[in-house]
Amino acid sequence: MKSNWLLLIIAAAIAMPGCKMKNTASAVSGDAAARTYVAPGKYDELYNFVSGGFNGQVSVYGLPSGRLLKLIPVFSVNPENGYGYSEESKPMLQTSHGFVPWDDQHHLALSQTNGEHDGRWLFANANNSPRVARIDLKTFKTMEILELPNSGGNHSSPFLTENTEYVIAGTRFSIPIGNQESALDNASYKKNFKSTASFIGIDKNTGHMQVSFQIILPGMDLDLSRAGKGPSHGWFFFSTYNTEQASTLLEVNASQKDKDFIVAVNWKKAEEYVKAGKAKKMAAGYYHNTFNEETHSATSEIIKEVLTLDPEELKDFVYLIPCPKSPHGCDVDPSGEYIVGSGKLAALIPVFSYRKFEKAIADKAFEGEYNGIPVVKYEAALHGEVKKPGLGPLHTEFDASGNAYTSFFVSSEIVKWNIKSLEVLDRVPTYYSIGHLMVPGGDTKKPYGKYVVAYNKITKDRYLPTGPELAQSAQLYAIDGEKMQLLLDFPTIGEPHYAQAIPAEKIKAQSVKFFDIAKNKHPYLSAGEKATKVVREGNVVHVYMTAIRSHLTPDNIEGVQVGDEVYFHVTNLEQDWDIPHGFAVKHAPNAELLIMPGETNTLKFVPAKPGVYPFYCTDFCSALHQEMQGYLRVSPKGSSVPLKWGTGTEDTARAVAAR
Amino acid sequence: MNNKLSIVAKISIFLAIGCIAALWAAPMWRIDLAAPQYPEGISMQIWINDVKGEVDIINGLNHYIGMKTIHKEDFREFVYLPIALAVFCGLGLLVFIRNRRGLYYGWTGLLIGMAILSMYDFWKWEYDYGHNLDPTAPIKVPGMAYQPPLIGYKKMLNFEALSQPDLGGWLFITAVVLLTAVSCYEWKRAKSKTV
Ligand SMILES: [Cu+2]
């Protein structure tokens, strides 16, 4: 019987060669290629900042081309430019648990003014060693990293208020506050474990971050978050799971309740409580690392305390909204009126109304309390439910015409629906399990609304096989027509989680071309070749070096001994766009330097054996780049070879100086 | 015979002085360079007492082919030219006070003379920079000289060079044209009166 069926199927397949199952390649049609083609010499329309996931960095892609424009080192060391290896950048990765050269980078937030992206800064979270970074979009450089106390894992982060007043950082893993040791069982979890939502205040002018206050919440897992905007400005909404408060086998134990919560925090009220002195000072120890643009160096500061607010005591600034079932995304629409919860395990999408939520509080339409925090009635806050949208809703972004786009992990698709009518309008497959998605400006008051980008989790079949691990990928869809249209796949670095995108126009013109060498205040600056020298202080040797096309000064150094700590402070004298010089020493275990024009960078090298160590420029800088090299002579310890340095003999030195 | 200046000539003296005085506030000449690897272009402006613009970048590029680096301090012209122009402006006032047609012609001639001398000096300067190359230069192209065009466009290796008057230069030219035109007018007026 079985083989008969099989024969029949084969016969049918042969008889109908034109009748194939739809495959991935046939899904692209029409003018897709033309719409993503950016001709040589032309620019992309948008900068797409994509999180690097377990790579720890942030990558920048052009849209619609999908071309990789830049990798910005943030939480992981980066040998390409010596980030985390140079003496100047090492402090950026310092934490209360020492030097942490890696992290898990999930979400990004572009700074906003009046609810629109303003192109000043990009904020990035580190999930593992809880940290938040600020990247300056004039230089695409990480300028600041702030560690977070009392955080078990910084997942619900960084999300911004509409004028960049605060960036928030919510704990994913509840932990005992103050990092005390505790037994691991459900009873202990319920008693000792807490989650925190940190509100990091941002200086309007400099962007400097500081933990303004922390809200101590009951033990549960904060997942994602969004700030209110427009009418709901002043509120933050967090999704949360494991409100069951289980400590083990969460796969089962955290999916028992029919509804978890959206935690609504009135941060304006919290601010008032802090001003009124109602916050408690708590001892802490966490790092704040800042990069100085004038000294081209980072410094670390340890902060000793943090202000905390307890919503069990101060009753009226935190409320819970029931939300089915293990919500992941929690997204606020451009009008600020609708809050979309995405129950990962729910078969519908609940949409809440801010106005109704406000009224429910005024009417005291509560169904009870959860760990002392009032829970409003589900129906009282609900605008409505999107019925049968798909399986496993994760994230929602919005266009400029009142539509929402939700990613569905389980059913692997993007579904477009109308926010007011809650009607499903369109759906497209994503061919693999989608995580986050992004509409440029889709988290702001004014979405750009031309594209939606899907960021993948699994990419079978999209590219040539590359071993057991396949390339990570993103997919670009046009959303300016009635129907969503797949335009492009492009591979990404690490696991892309969330992303942000901004019109190139808002960034391009402000880009720093080079650092003004006249403003270089690095303590080991060599302002010109005449200022170069080698200074010995005990067993520490400071080499004041310059790099300019196409030589290093000095390029011959003698008198260094085994075991000396040699610091090469290399100043790039160039004052021209895109002329970095590199610097590497043979056997230096410390990566290299990549020094931007006008910058000073330091490579530490401790020679272990006597000999002659070549050093050279690693960035192909000019026609004579290959000649840009020199020698360090290392003598045995206690040797009498005097300290000596120079570039060229008398004659050629004069010739070089004359130029 | 009346050899006093017409009202037109009197006004022209102040206009010409104004044009020349503007040279303290506007560059005289500009040289623009472009190449595929410098899509944004590189340019240098010559003022009466300075060279400005991306001189450092040009110097950096020129070092491959052994051209001398350009430094403001190396030009005595930057001392003489402002003095000469200031004297010219002072003489203009004198022409106005003395109110003699002959002086006006002489004053016009002086400006034309200065213009010719300046261009000759500029050409010599360009010749020197383009030809007197460092014998130890890393790149030597047989038979190649790097003299930029005196005025107009020229292709040098992969670079395109465009040399032309800048705002101040155009004002200088305006002054020359104005004084020449008024001199002709005065000449004709004088002739018609004597007939
Ligand atoms: Cu180099």
Side-chain angles (χ1 to χ4, degrees), chain B residues 11-22:
Chain B
I11 293 169
S12 76
I13 291 174
F14 288 98
L15 288 174
I17 291 175
C19 285
I20 299 302

Side-chain angles (χ1 to χ4, degrees), chain A residues 513 549-550 575-577 621-624 655 658-659, chain B residues 38 40 57 61 63-64 67 69 134 136-139:
Chain A
K513 291 187 170 181
R549 282 163 290 179
S550 312
Q575 293 286 274
D576 193 1
W577 202 338
C621 55
S622 67
L624 294 164
R659 275 186 222 139
Chain B
Y38 280 94
E40 71 273 32
I57 294 174
L61 286 168
H63 105 271
Y64 291 117
M67 269 168 90
T69 50
D134 184 344
T136 67
I139 298 173

Side-chain angles (χ1 to χ4, degrees), chain A residues 547-551 580-582 617-622 625 628:
Chain A
I548 193 162
R549 282 163 290 179
S550 312
H551 59 275
H581 288 292
C617 170
T618 48
D619 186 338
F620 207 114
C621 55
S622 67
H625 159 75
M628 196 162 171

Side-chain angles (χ1 to χ4, degrees), chain B residues 69-112:
Chain B
T69 50
I70 300 164
H71 299 285
K72 171 189 173 180
E73 298 74 32
D74 300 343
F75 297 97
R76 276 173 304 173
E77 288 89 337
F78 290 156
V79 179
Y80 299 149
L81 197 58
I83 294 171
L85 290 173
V87 168
F88 173 79
C89 291
L91 288 175
L93 292 175
L94 203 68
V95 173
F96 176 79
I97 293 161
R98 298 294 301 275
N99 198 6
R100 286 285 176 277
R101 197 180 280 140
L103 287 177
Y104 189 91
Y105 296 152
W107 192 56
T108 302
L110 180 66
L111 187 65
I112 294 169

Side-chain angles (χ1 to χ4, degrees), chain A residues 340-656:
Chain A
V340 180
S342 297
K344 296 191 292 285
L345 312 173
L348 52 82
I349 303 173
V351 181
F352 301 97
S353 152
Y354 173 70
R355 236 162 279 167
K356 283 181 147 186
F357 163 68
E358 229 184 359
K359 191 168 178 297
I361 295 171
D363 296 349
K364 299 207 156 42
F366 301 128
E367 61 172 46
E369 283 195 346
Y370 174 85
N371 288 55
I373 300 172
V375 181
V376 303
K377 281 185 181 145
Y378 177 64
E379 281 78 14
L382 191 72
H383 162 62
E385 292 167 342
V386 184
K387 304 286 186 197
K388 294 193 178 164
L391 293 178
L394 290 187
H395 304 279
T396 303
E397 293 252 312
F398 308 91
D399 69 14
S401 5
N403 301 312
Y405 300 80
T406 303
S407 61
F408 287 82
F409 181 78
V410 179
S411 55
S412 234
E413 59 186 336
I414 296 174
V415 174
K416 174 182 176 181
W417 51 276
N418 185 275
I419 307 168
K420 279 209 177 105
S421 72
L422 304 169
E423 234 182 313
V424 171
L425 304 174
D426 189 20
R427 55 178 75 233
V428 282
T430 52
Y431 300 101
Y432 43 64
S433 302
I434 178 178
H436 275 272
L437 80 178
M438 187 271 315
V439 174
D443 62 326
T444 69
K445 280 182 177 170
K446 291 209 176 126
Y448 191 70
K450 209 165 156 185
Y451 306 106
V452 62
V453 186
Y455 301 95
N456 90 303
K457 300 294 174 197
I458 297 157
T459 55
K460 287 169 192 170
D461 84 8
R462 302 315 292 184
Y463 307 101
L464 287 174
T466 50
E469 197 205 2
L470 301 176
Q472 313 286 329
S473 191
Q475 285 184 310
L476 177 74
Y477 297 81
I479 56 168
D480 47 1
E482 276 286 287
K483 290 271 179 194
M484 291 179 271
Q485 188 196 354
L486 175 62
L487 300 179
L488 181 73
D489 281 357
F490 60 96
T492 57
I493 285 161
E495 184 198 336
H497 287 259
Y498 191 43
Q500 294 268 270
I502 187 169
E505 286 308 315
K506 288 196 181 177
I507 294 186
K508 215 176 80 189
Q510 64 174 19
S511 204
V512 168
K513 291 187 170 181
F514 52 82
F515 298 104
D516 183 352
I517 198 155
K519 289 192 182 135
N520 182 328
K521 301 228 165 71
H522 192 289
Y524 294 98
L525 158 80
S526 307
E529 293 185 355
K530 282 187 190 132
T532 57
K533 60 188 171 186
V534 180
V535 178
R536 175 180 283 284
E537 291 162 7
N539 70 334
V540 174
V541 177
H542 291 286
V543 180
Y544 292 71
M545 186 178 270
T546 60
I548 193 162
R549 282 163 290 179
S550 312
H551 59 275
L552 296 158
T553 310
D555 68 0
N556 276 199
I557 302 165
E558 295 181 60
V560 167
Q561 299 177 8
V562 169
D564 281 344
E565 278 180 23
V566 186
Y567 292 90
F568 291 95
H569 307 286
V570 188
T571 301
N572 181 347
L573 296 177
E574 308 278 355
Q575 293 286 274
D576 193 1
W577 202 338
D578 199 26
I579 311 288
H581 288 292
F583 181 76
V585 183
K586 189 190 175 208
H587 290 317
N590 215 12
E592 54 142 16
L593 303 173
L594 191 65
I595 315 132
M596 296 307 125
E599 208 181 31
T600 305
N601 274 192
T602 303
L603 184 81
K604 183 183 173 182
F605 177 51
V606 184
K609 290 175 188 170
V612 169
Y613 292 76
F615 52 79
Y616 65 103
C617 170
T618 48
D619 186 338
F620 207 114
C621 55
S622 67
L624 294 164
H625 159 75
Q626 200 68 1
E627 285 75 6
M628 196 162 171
Q629 61 189 41
Y631 292 109
L632 170 74
R633 175 180 170 188
V634 176
S635 309
K637 199 156 189 66
S639 151
S640 58
V641 175
L643 213 55
K644 197 179 145 200
W645 65 91
T647 295
T649 60
E650 291 271 293
D651 278 357
T652 52
R654 213 177 298 125
V656 168

